[in-house]
Amino acid sequence: METRLQISRSLRERIVAEAKGSRTEICGLLLGDDDTVHDAIACANVHPTPATHFEVDPSALFRALRAAREGGPAVIGYYHSHPTGSTVPSWTDAAAAADDGAFWLIAAGSALAAWRAVRDGTVHGRFDPVALAIAR
C-alpha cells in the first residue's frame, strides 16, 4: 500500500511561496496526525550556511513538542527548500535525518514533494517517496 500525506492546498501554496521568496533554505515544522498535515510552522534556519543547509531553530521545535505533550497537534515532520536544487532529498538531508518515520516536504521552485525518513530508504538509504494528496 502506497504511503500518502494529505495537506491542504493553502498550506502547500504557503510553503511554496515561502520557499520562492528566499535565496536561502527555508524550514519549518509539520503539525498534524498520522498522515495529515493540519498546520505548518515556519522556523528560523539557524544553520551556519543557510544557503545550502538547514537546521530548524531548536527553541521552536521544543515549543512545538511541549505543546504536543499538552494536547496540541503532534510534530509529524519537517519542511525545507532547495533554492537551487530539486525536490529530491540530498545526501546532506539523509545524513541529518533520523529513521523515525517523520515526513519531510521539500520545496524547489513551484514544486513540493513528500518523503518519509526510514531505515534503508530507497533514496540515499534514508528516504522513501510519499504520494502528496492535496485537499481543498
Side-chain angles (χ1 to χ4, degrees), residues 35-132:
D35 61 355
T36 303
V37 178
H38 296 295
D39 200 3
I41 299 175
C43 299
N45 179 352
V46 298
H47 196 280
T49 54
T52 56
H53 297 79
F54 85 97
E55 181 181 341
V56 170
D57 179 357
S59 63
L61 178 57
F62 293 143
R63 280 193 304 276
L65 293 171
R66 186 177 305 116
R69 281 194 307 271
E70 294 171 355
V75 176
I76 63 168
Y78 313 92
Y79 72 89
H80 76 285
S81 65
H82 289 166
T84 60
S86 74
T87 59
V88 176
S90 67
W91 281 102
T92 302
D93 293 335
D99 61 352
D100 57 3
F103 289 104
W104 284 51
L105 291 180
I106 301 176
S110 296
L112 186 68
W115 305 89
R116 192 155 216 181
V118 295
R119 179 181 303 275
D120 300 323
T122 57
V123 176
H124 308 311
R126 181 57 69 215
F127 293 100
D128 278 342
V130 172
L132 198 54

Side-chain angles (χ1 to χ4, degrees), residues 4-8 35-38 131-135:
R4 295 171 53 100
L5 180 65
Q6 294 184 8
I7 188 170
S8 70
D35 61 355
T36 303
V37 178
H38 296 295
L132 198 54
I134 308 299

Side-chain angles (χ1 to χ4, degrees), residues 8-18 112:
S8 70
R9 183 173 311 284
S10 62
L11 281 177
R12 182 208 179 278
E13 290 172 0
R14 192 174 89 201
I15 291 169
V16 168
E18 183 184 347
L112 186 68

